[in-house]
Amino acid sequence: MGRSPCCDESGLKKGPWTPEEDQKLIKHIKNHGHGSWRALPKLAGLNRCGKSCRLRWTNYLRPDIKRGKFSQEEEQTILNLHSVLGNKWSAIASHLPGRTDNEIKNFWNTHLKKKLIQMGFDPMTHRPRTDIFSSLPHIIALASLKELMENPSWEEQALRLQAEALQMAKCQYLQFLLQPPSLTNINHNNNPTEIEIMNLINSLSSPLFENQMMTQNNSSNNNNPLQPLGTDSVGLLFSHLPSLEVVPNNTSTYETAPFISKEMFSQNNEVCDPNNSLWQLPSSSTAPSPPSVAPPMNIIHDGPSSNSNNYGDACSSSSFGGSSASIWPDHLLLEDALFHDIPSL
DNA sequence: AAATCTGGCAACCGCCGTAAA
DNA sequence: GTTTACGGCGGTTGCCAGATT
């Protein structure tokens, strides 16, 4: 039903509030409460629309508003709640006393979202980004760097890049296919067949995959090299990839599968109590695993001028957390086959 | 030192749901 | 049942200060 904007009336002031206006609003609400917001401006002697007054009060002047930097606990709470609620800022704000939805929204957009992206996570799903395009900038940047150092022919570079991109796309698609159905958004009537998965595996020709295939075949005393690998083999083959299994540590029935845990956001890489997180990465693997997606650019350890290396943005300037921690141990970075022949920096 | 760029944040805009007339 | 008023919400904009060139 059409309703004209409340601020259509001409002559009403817009823009930043002056201290005088603030005082009038505070005084009026202290004495009379806000009552009807529409009627308030006249009663308070303000040349503003009611909506503007309400926003000013709820987002800035309310006495119970907590201002200042967000604490680590607040940050973690926002992350956890956002993974469950999405952009329901008011719902998130209701769990953070003294914080307004607007403040949380701004904090998310200017800090947390960028941080997640930089770490290689999709800020909406809180899961590792699986699209090839999200990784391409990394690949291109690293390849260009290598080209500068070695200066082989352009044709050679282009061909190699093409092959690598294709290989990576296949890997990521395969990982997507291997996710438990509960974690995929795909129509499960169209689940991939084992044949489809095997075809993909067989088409992957990187040394990493070949090595693992060999290992698997040997360890299982499989004398028939032509015998197709079963699903168990597939699991072993990709055991270096983080499983997408969800390990909730409480009885909540969250539908999404957030991957971000407190330790990932720890400022100094120390391991925090994983029980503090709503979700954990599975702990079954015996050795740390490299990421299933291209590692974030902050793997290249920063000198003072490293901001320009950061993919996408420079959220290292975050006022609350200092440099962001990588969830991938340094010694495993660049271990992905894709990055094997790129010199470490 | 000046110009330009960038990030942070307050405020606005437009839509939605609900209640009242 | 329809219209209107209102509060609330999420997305977006625009200003400003600090950083960079």
Side-chain angles (χ1 to χ4, degrees):
Chain A
M1 302 303 116
R3 182 167 60 95
S4 59
C6 70
C7 299
D8 264 2
E9 302 160 58
S10 58
L12 291 182
K13 190 181 173 191
K14 286 202 230 174
W17 281 64
T18 64
E20 292 74 29
E21 288 176 312
D22 283 347
Q23 284 312 309
K24 281 184 181 178
L25 184 56
I26 291 170
K27 189 179 172 186
H28 178 84
I29 291 178
K30 268 187 182 172
N31 292 337
H32 307 97
H34 63 72
S36 162
W37 285 111
R38 197 173 177 82
L40 183 143
K42 269 189 180 177
L43 296 172
L46 288 161
N47 190 29
R48 295 267 182 177
C49 73
K51 197 170 187 173
S52 179
C53 295
R54 180 173 58 80
L55 278 173
R56 183 65 181 170
W57 176 256
T58 56
N59 286 338
Y60 201 83
L61 298 176
R62 245 172 44 203
D64 57 329
I65 285 181
K66 186 203 285 185
R67 309 209 70 84
K69 294 173 184 173
F70 281 78
S71 67
Q72 279 285 307
E73 287 70 27
E74 287 176 315
E75 181 182 330
Q76 185 61 35
T77 302
I78 294 169
L79 281 166
N80 285 338
L81 289 172
H82 186 272
S83 69
V84 176
L85 300 168
N87 293 1
K88 303 289 179 193
W89 306 118
S90 60
I92 295 172
S94 68
H95 290 82
L96 291 161
R99 300 294 189 183
T100 68
D101 53 355
N102 203 41
E103 197 178 7
I104 292 170
K105 178 172 59 181
N106 283 334
F107 182 59
W108 174 266
N109 286 329
T110 56
H111 294 103
L112 295 182
K113 191 161 96 177
K114 292 174 181 178
K115 209 168 176 178
L116 288 180
I117 290 170
Q118 189 187 31
M119 292 170 69
F121 288 89
D122 184 327
M124 293 317 291
T125 63
H126 291 241
R127 293 172 48 203
R129 301 180 74 184
T130 54
D131 55 305
I132 181 67
F133 297 107
S134 70
S135 305
L136 274 178
H138 299 183
I139 299 167
I140 292 166
L142 289 169
S144 303
L145 199 56
K146 189 192 175 193
E147 194 279 331
L148 277 177
M149 297 175 78
E150 295 181 354
N151 199 24
S153 76
W154 281 104
E155 292 88 350
E156 209 173 293
Q157 277 296 320
L159 283 173
R160 201 175 58 80
L161 263 180
Q162 259 188 331
E164 285 173 348
L166 178 64
Q167 197 83 337
M168 187 152 190
K170 284 179 180 176
C171 290
Q172 294 185 346
Y173 178 55
L174 183 56
Q175 193 206 351
F176 174 75
L177 292 179
L178 291 171
Q179 289 176 31
S182 61
L183 291 182
T184 59
N185 293 324
I186 59 177
N187 176 354
H188 297 299
N189 294 328
N190 298 325
N191 273 349
T193 64
E194 195 168 297
I195 292 174
E196 187 182 354
I197 291 171
M198 291 312 301
N199 283 343
L200 255 181
I201 292 169
N202 290 332
S203 72
L204 291 167
S205 57
S206 77
L208 174 68
F209 288 101
E210 282 165 7
N211 277 344
Q212 295 207 20
M213 295 269 276
M214 293 276 287
T215 308
Q216 167 57 21
N217 283 339
N218 290 340
S219 66
S220 61
N221 288 327
N222 186 347
N223 293 326
N224 181 2
L226 297 176
Q227 182 180 331
L229 294 167
T231 47
D232 286 347
S233 308
V234 172
L236 276 169
L237 188 60
F238 288 93
S239 61
H240 72 289
L241 300 176
S243 159
L244 295 179
E245 178 187 358
V246 180
V247 187
N249 69 344
N250 58 22
T251 56
S252 302
T253 54
Y254 300 129
E255 291 178 355
T256 54
F259 265 74
I260 314 304
S261 65
K262 194 171 191 169
E263 61 199 84
M264 296 179 184
F265 269 78
S266 170
Q267 289 181 47
N268 48 11
N269 280 344
E270 69 187 15
V271 177
C272 305
D273 178 9
N275 291 326
N276 286 340
S277 300
L278 284 175
W279 303 86
Q280 313 160 29
L281 286 167
S283 57
S284 57
S285 56
T286 52
S289 303
S292 59
V293 294
M297 286 303 281
N298 66 356
I299 61 174
I300 298 164
H301 272 289
D302 323 12
S305 62
S306 66
N307 267 1
S308 57
N309 287 336
N310 288 343
Y311 160 53
D313 82 308
C315 53
S316 58
S317 63
S318 163
S319 59
F320 63 93
S323 63
S324 57
S326 166
I327 63 170
W328 290 280
D330 288 359
H331 65 282
L332 286 172
L333 298 170
L334 306 180
E335 200 171 296
D336 192 298
L338 186 60
F339 298 94
H340 267 168
D341 50 1
I342 296 173
S344 45
L345 302 171

